Amino acid sequence: MDGGEAIGGRTARARAAGMRIGLYLDLAVGISPDGSVCWQNGSEIARSARIGCPPDPFSTQGQDWGLVPFSPVGLAEARLEPFKAVLRANMQHAGALRIDHAMGLQRLYWIPEGNTAVDGAYVAYPFRELLEGVAAESWISQTVVIGEDLGTVPPGFTDTMVRAGLLSYQVFYFSEEDDVWRAPHAYRREAMVCASTHDLPTLRGWWVCGDINWRVKCGRATETEAVLQRQDRERDRKRLLDALMGAQALPPDPAYAGAAEMPDNVIVAVHRFLAATPCRLLAVQLDDALGTVEQANLPGTVDEHPNWRRKIAVPIETLNDQPLLRAVADAVAIERPKT
């Protein structure tokens, strides 16, 4: 069986199982410093730098992700072939591919090896050429591409990305404008929408300030900062409920605001709300559909938080029997029936 037949077989099996797109994979923003890609390649790899982000409200010390970047000079000398090869390798198996930290197509925050995240600086990349490469490989492989445009986004970045045919990444938590949660109709159409991500608190974790508590525990925030953040979160909970009720995704009930944990009805309503948006794709995080409190990953930590170590809360064989998951799936199906 050649490569094309293998891909076709995987796609056929995915569609036969009801997966209209196929596998949804993730393209990492950088390269492992101790991996073969790093030591096998030449000037296209900037081995003495690490990728991260500058200090922000989520991490006052900045973040060092421990990954090595491509060198923009080295990529140009190689006519971007190393980057295109990575795309092809991932798109070979994907019906949809999410580009982690898509702003890296335009600029990346480099941290000199041996320094902390506060010592870094942004390095420019050949944005147009890289974007054209993504669009071309996407067309060849017929793979949907989602650019994760969260965090510090350069002006005009998302519009340029969408014009090239990529989808934006719309996250429910970041949809506040002027202290009001954005209504469903105001979301961007050329996007994938979701309630949360692996780098953010689950819906239930967000409600109980689990992410804030963890940042204090891991030394990423002081208790004084946490007090203010919890007060903001209390206001955000009210705004969220107002938005859900205003969109008729949740029946009016003042009891929700005083709930110690996010009620199942509210979790279902969030997904009903998102399903009503015009976004081309909707992603439901399994942890949210199971009502999990703890998030998969806490950015900026290595050993302080059990990143990627927790198992799914229930055996996979019983997923379809979970009442909350079924309620979320039913709510989404009503808003977005198969056509």
Side-chain angles (χ1 to χ4, degrees):
M1 179 182 291
D2 65 24
E5 291 172 337
I7 296 169
R10 284 192 291 270
T11 301
R13 289 195 295 274
R15 289 178 177 170
M19 300 172 66
R20 298 173 68 184
I21 292 177
L23 295 178
Y24 169 51
L25 303 183
D26 196 87
L27 179 63
V29 65
I31 302 158
S32 174
D34 56 359
S36 62
V37 172
C38 188
W39 54 260
Q40 278 184 333
N41 289 278
S43 61
E44 65 267 27
I45 308 294
R47 294 177 182 80
S48 60
R50 296 294 182 267
I51 304 169
C53 69
D56 61 23
F58 287 95
S59 182
T60 56
Q61 301 172 32
Q63 297 177 31
D64 181 345
W65 300 331
L67 297 172
V68 174
F70 277 119
S71 162
V73 175
L75 282 179
E77 292 174 347
R79 298 179 181 273
L80 306 186
E81 186 52 38
F83 175 70
K84 293 179 181 179
V86 171
L87 289 175
R88 285 192 290 270
N90 282 270
M91 290 179 179
Q92 178 183 6
H93 306 287
L97 182 68
R98 171 186 174 272
I99 298 180
D100 186 35
H101 194 71
M103 290 80 73
L105 298 172
Q106 181 174 350
R107 67 181 190 185
L108 272 178
Y109 190 76
W110 283 23
I111 304 164
E113 192 172 30
N115 288 266
T116 66
V118 298
D119 302 315
Y122 280 106
V123 175
Y125 280 74
F127 183 31
R128 178 175 176 176
E129 290 81 0
L130 290 173
L131 200 54
E132 287 175 347
V134 173
E137 295 297 333
S138 170
W139 178 261
I140 292 169
S141 65
Q142 294 295 286
T143 302
V144 178
V145 179
I146 300 102
E148 190 234 5
D149 49 347
L150 304 177
T152 305
V153 183
F157 174 85
T158 296
D159 289 338
T160 302
M161 182 181 73
V162 168
R163 283 196 298 270
L166 282 69
L167 297 183
S168 177
Y169 198 58
Q170 306 277 282
V171 178
F172 189 54
Y173 290 146
F174 303 137
S175 63
E176 278 192 87
E177 295 176 351
D178 299 324
D179 294 332
V180 176
W181 228 283
R182 189 188 312 159
H185 71 267
Y187 279 69
R188 183 187 290 268
R189 175 172 172 76
E190 301 303 322
M192 186 183 80
V193 68
C194 57
S196 183
T197 78
H198 56 270
D199 286 335
L200 296 170
T202 63
L203 286 172
R204 240 179 207 148
W206 179 88
W207 188 273
V208 299
C209 303
D211 55 321
I212 298 172
N213 298 337
W214 266 109
R215 284 199 290 272
V216 173
K217 184 176 180 179
C218 296
R220 294 299 186 272
T222 66
E223 185 56 45
T224 300
E225 291 169 335
V227 169
L228 297 176
Q229 292 170 5
R230 293 186 190 107
Q231 291 172 353
D232 288 341
R233 186 64 54 81
E234 185 175 354
R235 289 190 289 269
D236 286 341
R237 284 200 297 267
K238 183 179 185 307
R239 293 180 188 125
L240 178 145
L241 293 172
D242 289 343
L244 296 177
M245 294 176 189
Q248 298 183 333
L250 182 70
D253 187 342
Y256 289 129
E261 294 187 355
M262 179 179 274
D264 285 359
N265 286 353
V266 177
I267 294 175
V268 174
V270 168
H271 291 93
R272 184 179 295 117
F273 179 100
L274 296 177
T277 67
C279 299
R280 287 191 177 274
L281 295 178
L282 164 65
V284 176
Q285 185 169 247
L286 186 57
D287 283 340
D288 288 328
L290 293 175
T292 303
V293 173
E294 297 293 349
Q295 66 195 77
N297 181 55
L298 187 68
T301 63
V302 178
D303 298 320
E304 307 96 319
H305 180 269
N307 296 329
W308 305 111
R309 300 176 205 170
R310 295 190 180 92
K311 295 182 179 180
I312 298 174
V314 299
I316 193 169
E317 295 83 4
T318 69
L319 283 178
N320 204 42
D321 301 326
Q322 304 305 311
L324 178 56
L325 187 147
R326 291 304 321 160
V328 168
D330 291 344
V332 169
I334 291 172
E335 293 291 339
R336 295 192 172 212
K338 288 186 177 181
T339 57

